[in-house]
Amino acid sequence: MISFIFKRLLQSVVVMLTVALIAFSMFRFIGDPINNMVGQDTSQADRAALTEQLGLNDPFIVQFGRFALNAAEGNFGISYKYRQPVSSLILERLSATLELSFVAAVLTLVVGIPLGVYTALKGKGLISKGIMTLSLIGVSLPTFLIGILLILLFGVVLRWLPTFGRGDVIAIGWWTTGFLTVSGIKSLILPSITLALFQMTLIMRLVRAEMLEVLRTDFIKFARARGLPDRSVHFKHALKNTLVPVITITGLQLGALIAFAIITESVFQWPGMGLLFIQAISDVDIPIMAAYLVLIAFFFVVINMVVDILYYMVDPRLRADSTA
Amino acid sequence: MDLLNINNLRIEFPSRHGTVVAVDDVSLSVQPGEVLGVVGESGAGKSTIGNAVIGLLEPPGEMTAGHVLLKSEQIDTLSAEAKRKIRGRRIGMIFQDPLTSLDPLQTIEQQLVETIDLHLKLGEKKSQERAVDLLRQVGIPEPETRIKNYPHQFSGGMRQRVVIALALCAEPEVIIADEPTTALDVSIQAQILELMRRLCKDKQVGMIIITHDMGVIADITDRVAVMYRGKVVEEGTTAKILGNPDHPYTQSLISAVPRPDIRLKRFPMVNYIEEEGERTKDIDLSTHWLGRHRDYDAVDGPLLSLKNLVMTFVTKPALLKSNRITFNAVDDVSFDINEGEVFGLVGESGSGKSTVARMVCSLYKPASGIVNFAGTDLTSIKSENERDFYRRQMQMIFQDPFSSLNGRMRVMDIIAEPIRFHKLASSNQEVEQVVNDLLDHVGLGAQASVRFPHEFSGGQRQRISIARALATRPRFLICDEPTSALDVSIQAQILNLLKDLQEELGLTMLFISHDLPVIRQMCDRVGVMKQGKLVEVSATEDLFENPTAAYTRELLDLMPRLDKLSHEGLEVEEA
């Protein structure tokens, strides 16, 4: 187990260094950083001095090393546009994105898994046929369209829910939360549904397919032949075996929720990292772009590692002592 | 009073192409302490009966007539919930594959306790004690500690014992065992059958054993029902059915069973399940393509000679060579095969026999040792051209007829591929002519060439594999368990075909099987393998009559006793 985690950690470090290299190369290949920092009338001598001061004359590997070390400490430099440290900009917005993704993830699992189980068990019923048809819409409609339709219905026509922003937030240290105010919770509803809808249908269809597969296996047949009641066959034996492969996909999708919150955040003007990133692209604000890239990669790596450890715990066949 | 009665059972499977009658007017009964065998080939409807009795027919199958009585009480009309309460409590079931019959994510204790507590309501503690006791009864060593293990930590035979323990949880009155030993080695099969017979007699359980294997029938049953296409064609005591069968299907089925005690010239044919392929025309091998270029250079000494062959697999990889854990699948194996001889290789699963075959045809590179074929060491060949030259002379027939043919190619292309690759025919027209002749020669008929593999049965596919192997005009054939996936009647046909081809073409064969009776019918000499080592090599008749190695004697002793079987209509080959 320990050597397994150690191996995974080592791999994670390699992945992070690779991503950092890509992020770092943006500085060198997308525009000249000096040009982005100084005005038109700065003299050539001042530019040269600044270049030297920023260490841009150092060899590539030294610069990359400096970047990677700073990044590891959470220091991604100064935003070109906001003239503030990138880390504090991101930190301000991190809580917004994480809260949105968290609610969307909970929605995905709480709705997706039971629906998947239901449609697998009651495949012939009218309700599950209806759910399957709806899920097809969920998979095929693009996120921004769902968002706009929801805004139109609940925001414009019915006027029940706010259509942009986070509402009132309460700060707890550097973390700001919308969970503690009514307007904050109301504001969360539409964006989180928008973000979750695609993942929800995906998880639902995955659980359904896996469950149908498991229900056909011999051990389920043998469990029935021993007279075990449906409840135990379905939820004790079938569901647990269904969830083993589902865990992997769920982990990846969780990363995707954080990363692809960009579109939802733009539609709802949600003050999260995604929105910051979109603005950074139009402003060619490379430090923010690089930081975002590294941060998202970091989330993916951490989630994947948690998934691997979970997998290890759920499936006894993978445990180290399995050769006994 | 009968324990279980099945009266005039009829089971139908409605489908788009009309209704399939899987079971037709079947009546069976079992007494306490009795073992009833239900025997038949695939598709005879035997498993469907078992599923119907416990009320687990796969949809869309339905019982359209008849009834099932358990101690005179009709159970087929009960509600789903009442049927569920009978399952496991009064009727236990054992399935074929122990590797997939247990929930992989739960310890066997969790599975046993759940079932015991459900039926007997003993509570957690008592259920645990009973679970340990059950494991002891089915012969699992150290049940107190082993019970905490997960299914994957048991071997196949041990898992089948756990499955039996699970079926016995609530002391059912009837046990239905569907091919309980088909997935196991002979030595494990003998133990499991012995265990089942003992439990049946001790606890006065009525047992129905569903199988295709006459050896199991002869070994354990008191009475037998023979099924053919959904009907019971004959029923009687085991001695009567095996020794003096009345129905022509039973007679032909029994005559097709390979005997451990005698060697037949040819198997008498069973034409009940599948027509034996017939050749529509005879080809003159002296002029035909297939007979041409068979004048391989004569070799001094044996055609194939293996010297000190070793194959190592890494079971636990590690960066440092010294930390790796390796396992010798084949350990210092040497034997010779002479030109025109059929050499058998026999052993239990994991004994390394298939690994030897794969090294002979260079699919695996041996860790050390020499594979000498027709005077050339195949392991030291460098040039691809030279390798092809030897590959052409050596062909392989695999065990599984379903996965060894490419499902997306027509039979014509499957068989033509080696001819085209080795450029053995001058024109496309000739290739097609040769393929059609080959198909006819293996008894399929030329019209098979335009069809796809999935349109054929297992036996027919194995004929396609044989035709493909012949398409390079080989001198050496490797047959790796060529009939173990087939029914006995089909097995008899395929073995006859291989015998004929071997004689006609003077082929040399390496014939691998776990089935000693089949080996006796096919081979001139036999090598016995155990855990990667060759323990004995001798002429077939000597091996069966006077085995020298202890392990060989053990294997021979474990063979099911088939001496009760009728000898009528058999043509015995004189030694």
Side-chain angles (χ1 to χ4, degrees):
Chain A
M1 181 78 185
I2 300 214
S3 82
F4 166 79
I5 292 177
F6 183 71
K7 238 185 252 169
R8 282 331 242 131
L9 268 175
L10 219 66
Q11 285 169 356
S12 307
V13 169
V14 174
V15 171
M16 287 314 297
L17 278 177
T18 315
V19 172
L21 186 66
I22 294 169
F24 173 68
S25 56
M26 283 199 301
F27 288 97
R28 297 180 64 87
F29 300 116
I30 307 176
D32 176 8
I34 303 294
N35 260 343
N36 284 315
M37 294 175 83
V38 299
Q40 291 274 324
D41 48 355
T42 315
S43 72
Q44 207 58 40
D46 286 342
R47 283 168 185 259
L50 192 58
T51 308
E52 185 59 40
Q53 188 196 335
L54 289 175
L56 294 179
N57 289 333
D58 292 342
F60 176 83
I61 191 79
V62 175
Q63 290 191 45
F64 175 61
R66 198 186 301 135
F67 173 80
L69 279 178
N70 283 336
E73 288 174 359
N75 180 3
F76 288 95
I78 310 279
S79 157
Y80 296 161
K81 188 184 170 208
Y82 298 96
R83 308 273 164 201
Q84 282 176 34
V86 173
S87 47
S88 64
L89 275 174
I90 284 191
L91 212 58
E92 262 170 39
R93 309 196 163 217
L94 186 64
S95 51
T97 297
L98 286 186
E99 274 188 3
L100 178 63
S101 306
F102 173 76
V103 174
V106 170
L107 264 179
T108 300
L109 297 179
V110 167
V111 178
I113 293 178
L115 281 187
V117 172
Y118 181 83
T119 48
L121 295 179
K122 301 252 156 73
K124 293 224 168 63
L126 217 58
I127 301 176
S128 62
K129 284 206 173 116
I131 296 173
M132 288 307 290
T133 314
L134 282 179
S135 79
L136 214 58
I137 298 174
V139 170
S140 46
L141 276 189
T143 312
F144 67 87
L145 191 63
I146 294 171
I148 290 170
L149 288 177
L150 286 177
I151 290 177
L152 189 69
L153 183 62
F154 292 101
V156 180
V157 178
L158 297 173
R159 293 184 173 278
W160 286 353
L161 296 165
T163 57
F164 66 89
R166 286 184 83 186
D168 299 325
V169 292
I170 291 171
I172 304 168
W174 57 270
W175 184 276
T176 56
T177 178
F179 285 143
L180 300 176
T181 61
V182 177
S183 75
I185 290 174
K186 268 186 158 176
S187 310
L188 257 172
I189 296 174
L190 289 185
S192 58
I193 290 178
T194 308
L195 186 56
L197 204 64
F198 174 78
Q199 312 291 349
M200 205 190 287
T201 45
L202 189 86
I203 292 290
M204 184 200 115
R205 295 181 86 89
L206 181 75
V207 168
R208 176 175 175 274
E210 285 293 333
M211 185 99 175
L212 286 176
E213 191 75 20
V214 171
L215 285 174
R216 273 196 294 270
T217 56
D218 288 351
F219 67 85
I220 291 299
K221 200 175 159 199
F222 186 47
R224 285 193 206 283
R226 295 203 300 275
L228 300 187
D230 281 355
R231 187 172 25 85
S232 164
V233 172
H234 293 158
F235 299 108
K236 208 159 161 185
H237 296 278
L239 186 59
K240 209 172 160 199
N241 277 280
T242 302
L243 291 183
V244 174
V246 171
I247 289 175
T248 325
I249 304 293
T250 309
L252 287 176
Q253 292 306 321
L254 208 63
L257 274 181
I258 299 171
F260 300 131
I262 297 176
I263 296 168
T264 312
E265 287 183 6
S266 323
V267 171
F268 288 92
Q269 286 299 300
W270 189 262
M273 290 191 305
L275 199 59
L276 183 72
F277 180 64
I278 291 279
Q279 285 160 354
I281 289 178
S282 51
D283 301 336
V284 202
D285 199 342
I286 293 168
I288 291 184
M289 283 152 69
Y292 184 76
L293 191 66
V294 172
L295 196 67
I296 292 295
F298 179 72
F299 281 138
F300 266 95
V301 164
V302 170
I303 290 171
N304 267 316
M305 201 157 136
V306 171
V307 163
D308 278 339
I309 293 170
L310 263 182
Y311 217 90
Y312 216 74
M313 278 167 19
V314 171
D315 195 336
R317 285 165 293 190
L318 296 175
R319 281 179 215 152
D321 59 345
S322 63
T323 45
Chain B
M1 187 180 64
D2 291 343
L3 184 57
L4 181 78
N5 277 94
I6 300 169
N7 294 333
N8 310 101
L9 189 68
R10 183 182 170 91
I11 295 167
E12 293 179 358
F13 282 80
S15 77
R16 262 185 304 175
H17 314 290
T19 303
V20 180
V21 181
V23 176
D24 190 3
D25 196 24
V26 165
S27 299
L28 298 169
S29 67
V30 193
Q31 317 299 322
E34 183 187 46
V35 182
L36 170 73
V38 177
V39 70
E41 305 203 322
S42 32
K46 9 183 236 309
S47 293
T48 314
I49 295 180
N51 291 340
V53 170
I54 58 168
L56 284 180
L57 266 183
E58 305 268 334
E62 55 175 341
M63 244 176 93
T64 50
H67 37 261
V68 182
L69 304 177
L70 182 61
K71 285 196 171 160
S72 308
E73 175 201 353
Q74 190 165 358
I75 58 170
D76 56 287
T77 47
L78 294 174
S79 70
E81 180 61 16
K83 276 188 195 165
R84 179 185 72 66
K85 286 196 171 134
I86 287 177
R87 288 201 291 271
R89 180 76 186 89
R90 301 185 62 192
I91 304 179
M93 186 107 189
I94 297 167
F95 290 107
Q96 173 172 357
D97 192 351
L99 300 187
T100 56
S101 285
L102 299 167
D103 185 343
L105 300 185
Q106 293 204 338
T107 63
I108 61 167
E109 177 173 39
Q110 287 169 319
Q111 302 186 43
L112 279 162
V113 166
E114 182 188 11
T115 314
I116 294 169
D117 200 26
L118 172 80
H119 291 299
L120 303 180
K121 312 262 182 305
L122 289 178
E124 180 94 8
K125 190 101 180 58
K126 282 257 173 62
S127 298
Q128 274 167 1
E129 282 165 19
R130 180 163 168 78
V132 171
D133 191 47
L134 276 168
L135 289 185
R136 190 174 296 119
Q137 282 182 39
V138 297
I140 289 184
E142 300 171 48
E144 291 86 357
T145 48
R146 295 291 280 173
I147 197 167
K148 306 280 180 208
N149 287 160
Y150 288 92
H152 70 275
Q153 291 163 304
F154 291 87
S155 65
M158 282 295 158
R159 269 191 245 190
Q160 194 65 310
R161 284 167 196 267
V162 174
V163 167
I164 292 174
L166 273 165
L168 289 176
C169 272
E171 306 230 320
E173 298 148 51
V174 179
I175 291 180
I176 300 172
D178 192 350
E179 304 273 9
T181 57
T182 307
L184 304 173
D185 275 330
V186 269
S187 56
I188 315 289
Q189 163 168 324
Q191 293 167 17
I192 295 288
L193 289 180
E194 173 57 34
L195 169 71
M196 288 172 61
R197 185 180 15 224
R198 184 168 54 78
L199 291 170
C200 179
K201 300 297 172 212
D202 288 357
K203 297 182 190 290
Q204 284 297 299
V205 174
M207 194 175 304
I208 300 180
I209 291 207
I210 296 165
T211 183
H212 70 280
D213 187 341
M214 279 296 173
V216 173
I217 290 290
D219 217 10
I220 182 173
T221 60
D222 302 311
R223 272 187 318 123
V224 187
V226 183
M227 285 197 70
Y228 172 63
R229 299 219 169 139
K231 288 194 169 72
V232 172
V233 294
E234 191 169 0
E235 196 194 334
T237 62
T238 305
K240 163 79 171 66
I241 296 284
L242 296 184
N244 190 14
D246 289 329
H247 195 277
Y249 173 68
T250 321
Q251 287 166 356
S252 48
L253 188 65
I254 284 178
S255 66
V257 175
R259 306 302 169 89
D261 50 345
I262 43 170
R263 182 177 171 119
L264 306 178
K265 274 209 184 86
R266 275 177 72 87
F267 289 97
M269 282 337 304
V270 183
N271 276 347
Y272 265 88
I273 292 270
E274 183 174 287
E275 290 295 307
E276 182 188 16
E278 262 179 52
R279 295 175 184 173
T280 50
K281 60 176 182 190
D282 276 320
I283 49 176
D284 180 5
L285 284 175
S286 60
T287 55
H288 189 264
W289 178 89
L290 188 58
R292 259 181 272 153
H293 301 284
R294 300 212 67 88
D295 45 347
Y296 291 108
D297 298 336
V299 277
D300 283 339
L303 178 62
L304 178 79
S305 168
L306 308 183
K307 286 205 180 65
N308 309 101
L309 220 49
V310 176
M311 182 71 206
T312 310
F313 290 113
V314 177
T315 50
K316 188 165 175 269
L319 216 54
L320 291 173
K321 212 170 180 181
S322 56
N323 286 352
R324 280 178 211 159
I325 297 176
T326 58
F327 155 74
N328 283 354
V330 172
D331 195 356
D332 196 19
V333 165
S334 310
F335 61 82
D336 296 338
I337 304 180
N338 298 315
E339 181 113 53
E341 185 181 45
V342 180
F343 186 89
L345 209 50
V346 73
E348 299 194 274
S349 47
S351 60
K353 43 191 200 309
S354 291
T355 313
V356 170
R358 279 157 192 263
M359 284 192 284
V360 168
C361 60
S362 310
L363 283 175
Y364 288 158
K365 194 173 163 42
S368 68
I370 289 171
V371 179
N372 196 313
F373 181 79
T376 311
D377 179 12
L378 297 186
T379 55
S380 63
I381 290 179
K382 294 282 181 292
S383 94
E384 205 53 30
N385 273 341
E386 202 184 352
R387 200 180 295 271
D388 284 343
F389 175 71
Y390 287 103
R391 276 185 178 148
R392 188 176 81 64
Q393 301 184 29
M394 199 186 270
Q395 286 295 310
M396 191 151 177
I397 296 163
F398 294 92
Q399 170 174 4
D400 182 2
F402 292 89
S403 62
S404 58
L405 299 173
N406 184 339
R408 304 203 184 275
M409 282 165 82
R410 287 181 197 276
V411 171
M412 165 62 75
D413 296 316
I414 290 175
I415 299 175
E417 194 173 34
I419 305 178
R420 289 180 183 136
F421 175 78
H422 290 289
K423 300 192 178 60
L424 299 177
S426 51
S427 67
N428 219 10
Q429 222 173 349
E430 194 188 356
V431 172
E432 285 178 19
Q433 185 56 45
V434 167
V435 172
N436 288 338
D437 286 351
L438 278 172
L439 282 169
D440 193 54
H441 207 62
V442 297
L444 275 177
Q447 66 280 5
S449 67
V450 292
R451 292 158 68 189
F452 285 98
H454 69 86
E455 299 173 54
F456 297 91
S457 69
Q460 289 172 325
R461 285 177 198 220
Q462 212 56 319
R463 288 176 193 267
I464 297 172
S465 296
I466 293 172
R468 177 179 58 182
L470 292 179
T472 65
R473 289 189 293 221
R475 70 200 294 196
F476 185 73
L477 267 190
I478 301 170
C479 307
D480 190 352
E481 304 263 15
T483 59
S484 59
L486 306 175
D487 276 327
V488 266
S489 59
I490 314 294
Q491 163 168 292
Q493 293 175 7
I494 297 293
L495 293 179
N496 275 348
L497 174 64
L498 285 172
K499 276 189 165 192
D500 292 345
L501 290 170
Q502 195 257 336
E503 233 161 78
E504 281 171 12
L505 299 170
L507 295 171
T508 309
M509 274 198 223
L510 172 59
F511 190 95
I512 294 169
S513 181
H514 67 283
D515 192 345
L516 280 164
V518 169
I519 290 277
R520 180 155 202 177
Q521 306 308 318
M522 291 300 295
C523 305
D524 303 314
R525 284 194 308 135
V526 188
V528 182
M529 287 193 73
K530 184 194 182 188
Q531 291 170 359
K533 288 194 165 49
L534 197 61
V535 294
E536 178 170 3
V537 177
S538 57
T540 307
E541 292 308 301
D542 290 344
L543 183 98
F544 279 84
E545 301 306 330
N546 305 304
T548 50
Y551 179 67
T552 313
R553 272 199 295 278
E554 202 180 303
L555 278 185
L556 288 172
D557 280 342
L558 288 168
M559 277 192 310
R561 295 282 143 247
L562 290 170
D563 35 13
K564 286 188 228 157
L565 257 59
S566 153
H567 279 204
E568 205 171 323
L570 300 182
E571 219 183 317
V572 180
E573 190 169 12
E574 300 302 329

